Amino acid sequence: MKKIYLIALMGIGSLSTLSAQTTPETTPEKTTELNEVAIIKTKKVVEQKADRTIFDFAGQASLNTGSVLEGIKKLPGLIASDIAGMMYQGKQLDVFMDGRPLNISTTELNAFLEGMPANAIEKIEIITQPGAEFPATSGGAILNIITNKNAKNYLSATYTNSTSFTNYDDLRWRMNNSLLLSAKNKYFGWQLNVGQNYRESAIWTSLEKEENGTSTLLSRTNADRIGRNNFVKSALTFDIGKDRLLLNYDITHNNNDSYTLGNGPGFSTNDASVSTGLRQDAVVTYQKKFDNAAKKLEFKFNYNNNSNDFELSPINSSASTLENGSNQSLYNFKFDYSQPVPLSDEGKLSFGSLYEELLFDAESKGITNLDYKRRTAASYVELQTTFDKFSFIVGGRAEDYNISGKTDTAELTAFKQFRFFPNASAQYNFSKSVNFNLNYNKKITLPSTSALNPNNTNYQNPNIDYSGNPNLQPTIFDNYEVKLSAFDYAFISYNISSAKNQVINRVTLNNDLVINSNENIPEIKIHNFNIGMPIPYMLFTKGLEETLKMNVNPDTMNFMYVYAGYQYHQIPQVDTNGFWIFNLMSQLVLPQKIKFVANYSYSIPKGNYFYFIAVKPFRNALDLNLSKKFLKDQLTLSIFADDVLNTSETAFNSYETPLLISNKMDTRKFGFSLNYKIPTKNKLAKENPNLLNTDKKEDAGILTQ
């Protein structure tokens, strides 16, 4: 038995050097005071928890040099595509920001994330096993983008900038800037984050029909795009006795232009489009504190408004081809309560309720052609217990839906149902750093308003048409997962997501007209196998025994992180193939403490991604990054080159059509970024006091409550 244990250690034992100090910086993240004893926890590059994986963005120059979308595409196991949406380890993602759903998807989501600078992000949480406390509408998994840091008892300021260029047919620039200010006194804390993003980009797309050994061009486009995005995120925190009141207000404005040359059989176009959007989000949170810090009560009200306009017209023409707009309002109220229970070593009971209304309307050239209403009422209860080396979570969430609406021609198919969604998890801890998990949950995904919108908000020509589907039905998921994790960085897992009425993007051909729309698949199962393992290079030079003796910071370690994932989409009556995704990340610490990071991603072609078959790898890129800290670590400078081999290009066949869809973006870019923590003379800056959330999760910050 001892030999078997030693053999297992050889596979993961080298990771003990990473688990001892998994921090890229020595700056404390939080301090928890217990009987005047301070326990300091430091940031981890990657942190594996029972229900989520957390990636530190702020401390990783290789992730935060471009847009949020560019950064998350580099995360191992994550797929982001304009065609097929966003998935992580085979699970469809619902995207949150600061703990609140964005309520947008696919094209709108990618455009939103592309317009936000990655250096405004603190970290990314991917919640692979959402419990009963999360909305049942979270689907398979949740990607939570956390944009803030904790306020200190002095004025702190951080300025970030990223500038890059691409040089294909033209020289194109991308620049973003952001400034984070925060402070706290004995009465209140405040935080202000302002930023802008300017990006010039290009995309070349072709649609071809391949029949009887011949290829016919249906459409070829050359789009030159300019995107502008500005945002303000603000927060106020008031201490009311032991209780806290938090006020948040965020506003994001985008203004995007595109100039597209198109040609095909019998036509040639020269079009300009303008897309504008305004997103506002306001939150009021009241946290009731108790003498027992493990007992919590929180009330939260959230109002969100998202309006978009899109106009497409031929250049030098006053007549618009498309003139579409939409407006969405969301009202949400919920409360959450938790308290310890003496059922085990560590027991906790949580319950809460939610009431939500969403109103969405869409119009085309001033005529409203979709009026959509959704009401959700929900309650949940969840119990967590620990017995020796075993931990258990069991819960359930009941949700009642009332969905209705109408187009300009007919009533929508109503969805009025009451459903119960159970969840359960069991974990066995072999040691403090090695554990084995079994998880199950049932979830639902309601069609996004962007998928329901019958109006086209994309470029079109005589051979291309985009449209939504107002009659889409919700998707029901049963998610199962088994996972072995070690030392935060190493894991091996298998999960299966079984879905009914899965909403997918479908591209069909009617004569020579290519139609992009959305539809429900009656049934689909997505199988996913994943493995990740860091390999310290000293393992080859010093051997396993010496490596295990080392206690070093991974920020000073040379290592490679290897990730491999296999995904298989099982669709009844469709002959499908699985595909592999590989990611290699290598870090070398050069002289003068210069850090070099190389990230290579590759996917095996010929596999099925829903109804698309990859002709070329949809992920094939090598990214390089050099970074160094100056001025007592207050200034971080990075020089980067993304897609240096210029191999990032996608090509898909659409199932049961002779279509070949190809597109190439100007992904090879070169640039630099800097992050400057503006120094302060305040003595408290050296003390890093514990000022916010003494009893609540510190890592959530003041913007995410």
Side-chain angles (χ1 to χ4, degrees):
M1 183 66 184
K2 185 178 292 185
K3 290 183 178 179
I4 295 174
Y5 187 69
L6 288 174
I7 291 172
L9 274 181
M10 291 185 67
I12 59 177
S14 60
L15 306 173
S16 61
T17 57
L18 297 180
S19 65
Q21 258 190 27
T22 52
T23 171
E25 301 180 13
T26 58
T27 303
E29 182 190 25
K30 62 178 181 177
T31 303
T32 304
E33 295 181 359
L34 298 172
N35 297 327
E36 299 183 355
V37 177
I39 301 173
I40 297 176
K41 294 185 179 180
T42 51
K43 288 184 180 180
K44 297 180 179 181
V45 177
V46 180
E47 186 175 4
Q48 296 276 356
K49 293 190 176 182
D51 64 340
R52 70 193 65 191
T53 302
I54 303 171
F55 297 92
D56 173 32
F57 252 57
Q60 302 304 302
S62 59
L63 297 178
N64 63 25
T65 53
S67 69
V68 174
L69 184 62
E70 291 169 336
I72 64 177
K73 282 184 176 180
K74 297 176 184 178
L75 300 181
L78 194 143
I79 300 173
S81 166
D82 283 334
I83 292 179
M86 193 174 293
M87 300 182 78
Y88 179 74
Q89 296 184 2
K91 299 178 180 180
Q92 205 78 31
L93 286 171
D94 192 17
V95 180
F96 284 44
M97 180 164 286
D98 294 329
R100 304 185 294 275
L102 283 176
N103 292 299
I104 53 179
S105 71
T106 318
T107 304
E108 288 183 7
L109 173 63
N110 287 351
F112 178 82
L113 298 179
E114 187 180 27
M116 175 165 285
N119 51 28
I121 303 303
E122 175 71 5
K123 58 188 174 182
I124 297 286
E125 288 184 332
I126 301 182
I127 304 167
T128 52
Q129 295 295 335
E133 64 178 299
F134 296 97
T137 52
S138 56
I142 294 171
L143 187 147
N144 185 25
I145 301 169
I146 299 175
T147 64
N148 62 288
K149 303 174 182 176
N150 290 334
K152 306 290 192 299
N153 202 18
Y154 55 89
L155 178 64
S156 65
T158 302
Y159 168 73
T160 56
N161 168 273
S162 178
T163 301
S164 63
F165 70 91
T166 65
N167 192 5
Y168 284 75
D169 56 327
D170 286 309
L171 186 68
R172 296 180 175 89
W173 291 91
R174 302 175 188 179
M175 290 168 282
N176 62 66
N177 297 274
S178 66
L179 179 65
L180 176 66
L181 302 171
S182 63
K184 192 180 191 297
N185 54 45
K186 64 180 180 179
Y187 301 107
F188 65 91
W190 62 271
Q191 189 174 92
L192 181 67
N193 189 4
V194 297
Q196 61 84 218
N197 177 283
Y198 174 84
R199 61 198 183 278
E200 299 172 348
S201 62
I203 179 171
W204 300 272
T205 304
S206 68
L207 301 173
E208 298 176 79
K209 181 170 65 174
E210 298 179 332
E211 288 181 314
N212 303 320
T214 62
S215 179
T216 303
L217 178 69
L218 298 179
S219 172
R220 178 179 287 117
T221 59
N222 178 352
D224 207 355
R225 305 184 299 179
I226 299 175
R228 308 170 191 85
N229 181 279
N230 300 279
F231 68 90
V232 177
K233 299 179 69 65
S234 60
L236 286 172
T237 305
F238 297 91
D239 295 323
I240 306 173
K242 291 183 179 181
D243 303 340
R244 297 177 66 209
L245 175 67
L246 302 99
L247 306 176
N248 300 76
Y249 177 71
D250 304 342
I251 182 169
T252 303
H253 179 263
N254 64 74
N255 183 2
N256 304 319
D257 298 326
S258 181
Y259 304 92
T260 306
L261 293 173
N263 67 83
F267 73 88
S268 177
T269 60
N270 185 4
D271 295 315
S273 65
V274 179
S275 177
T276 59
L278 181 66
R279 185 177 187 273
Q280 301 181 76
D281 193 77
V283 186
V284 178
T285 306
Y286 186 82
Q287 297 173 345
K288 175 67 178 175
K289 299 298 181 67
F290 301 90
D291 293 334
N292 186 343
K295 190 175 180 180
K296 301 184 179 87
L297 176 62
E298 180 177 278
F299 299 91
K300 181 181 292 186
F301 175 76
N302 179 207
Y303 169 73
N304 178 283
N305 181 264
N306 190 10
S307 60
N308 293 277
D309 291 291
F310 176 79
E311 184 176 351
L312 175 72
S313 59
I315 291 181
N316 299 324
S317 173
S318 59
S320 298
T321 305
L322 296 173
E323 191 176 336
N324 299 323
S326 64
N327 186 72
Q328 174 182 292
S329 294
L330 176 74
Y331 305 86
N332 177 297
F333 175 79
K334 68 173 186 173
F335 83 88
D336 298 279
Y337 175 81
S338 64
Q339 70 170 39
V341 291
L343 293 179
S344 59
D345 299 335
E346 296 179 17
K348 185 177 76 169
L349 177 68
S350 304
F351 61 86
S353 291
L354 170 146
Y355 182 83
E356 179 178 278
E357 284 194 6
L358 183 144
L359 307 174
F360 178 80
D361 61 79
E363 64 176 28
S364 179
K365 294 189 175 181
I367 299 176
T368 299
N369 53 6
L370 176 62
D371 187 359
Y372 176 85
K373 299 178 181 179
R374 186 177 79 206
R375 178 192 56 78
T376 305
S379 294
Y380 75 90
V381 61
E382 189 171 76
L383 178 65
Q384 301 182 28
T385 61
T386 299
F387 298 96
D388 193 19
K389 293 186 177 182
F390 288 93
S391 299
F392 300 96
I393 300 175
V394 61
R397 187 178 183 95
E399 297 202 353
D400 183 72
Y401 308 101
N402 188 343
I403 303 175
S404 62
K406 61 181 180 180
T407 66
D408 53 343
T409 58
E411 295 284 335
L412 300 184
T413 302
F415 183 82
K416 298 181 180 181
Q417 290 191 17
F418 174 85
R419 287 185 174 270
F420 180 72
F421 301 92
N423 68 282
S425 296
Q427 176 173 302
Y428 179 76
N429 301 306
F430 293 99
S431 67
K432 185 177 180 180
S433 302
V434 182
N435 53 68
F436 178 73
N437 282 274
L438 292 171
N439 295 283
Y440 165 77
N441 63 60
K442 180 183 283 288
K443 296 292 181 180
I444 186 173
T445 293
L446 305 177
S448 68
T449 51
S450 60
L452 296 167
N453 190 348
N455 301 319
N456 181 11
T457 55
N458 296 274
Y459 166 81
Q460 74 173 38
N461 63 38
N463 280 356
I464 301 176
D465 178 72
Y466 289 85
S467 61
N469 183 355
N471 288 299
L472 290 173
Q473 293 297 296
T475 306
I476 305 295
F477 294 91
D478 286 286
N479 301 305
Y480 308 84
E481 183 175 58
V482 55
K483 185 175 184 178
L484 176 66
S485 302
F487 303 108
D488 285 332
Y489 289 86
F491 71 94
I492 182 170
S493 69
Y494 170 75
N495 67 68
I496 179 172
S497 182
S498 178
K500 297 185 182 300
N501 286 329
Q502 170 75 59
V503 176
I504 56 99
N505 177 245
R506 190 75 188 269
V507 177
T508 57
L509 187 64
N510 184 4
N511 294 322
D512 283 342
L513 179 63
V514 179
I515 301 173
N516 294 263
S517 189
N518 299 280
E519 64 181 53
N520 289 107
I521 301 177
E523 183 180 348
I524 185 174
K525 292 181 180 179
I526 301 176
H527 304 260
N528 213 78
F529 170 79
N530 302 274
I531 184 169
M533 174 76 69
I535 305 175
Y537 288 138
M538 69 172 65
L539 188 66
F540 304 105
T541 58
K542 298 182 180 295
L544 177 61
E545 185 176 353
E546 289 298 316
T547 300
L548 292 175
K549 294 178 181 178
M550 300 294 290
N551 182 19
V552 296
N553 189 325
D555 198 43
T556 63
M557 174 181 285
N558 299 324
F559 68 94
M560 174 180 287
Y561 187 81
V562 179
Y563 166 83
Y566 178 77
Q567 194 171 128
Y568 173 59
H569 292 214
Q570 183 182 353
I571 305 175
Q573 301 178 342
V574 177
D575 186 16
T576 58
N577 296 312
F579 58 89
W580 282 94
I581 303 173
F582 300 97
N583 181 270
L584 302 175
M585 189 277 281
S586 177
Q587 174 179 290
L588 296 174
V589 181
L590 305 176
Q592 304 299 319
K593 295 184 179 180
I594 298 173
K595 187 192 296 184
F596 173 70
V597 175
N599 195 312
Y600 179 66
S601 299
Y602 183 80
S603 65
I604 303 296
K606 308 302 181 183
N608 287 74
Y609 192 79
F610 295 113
Y611 277 84
F612 299 98
I613 303 97
V615 176
K616 295 182 179 180
F618 56 83
R619 176 175 289 182
N620 184 12
L622 174 63
D623 304 328
L624 306 176
N625 187 288
L626 284 166
S627 63
K628 179 175 171 55
K629 295 183 178 181
F630 301 90
L631 304 177
K632 297 181 180 180
D633 294 346
Q634 288 179 325
L635 173 65
T636 302
L637 174 65
S638 300
I639 300 173
F640 59 89
D642 288 348
D643 192 20
V644 292
L645 302 179
N646 199 29
T647 50
S648 183
E649 181 178 359
T650 61
F652 290 93
N653 286 130
S654 181
Y655 179 71
E656 288 189 332
T657 75
L659 277 176
L660 174 64
I661 307 166
S662 304
N663 72 67
K664 178 73 179 81
M665 301 181 67
D666 56 341
T667 48
R668 182 170 60 185
K669 65 175 183 175
F670 305 89
F672 71 91
S673 71
L674 59 88
N675 182 291
Y676 183 51
K677 299 176 182 177
I678 301 173
T680 176
K681 295 182 179 180
N682 193 306
K683 294 181 180 180
L684 290 174
K686 298 180 181 180
E687 299 175 9
N688 194 33
N690 179 31
L691 298 169
L692 295 177
N693 266 345
T694 302
D695 299 327
K696 196 173 169 66
K697 292 181 180 178
E698 282 286 333
D699 56 1
I702 66 173
L703 285 177
T704 62
Q705 305 304 318

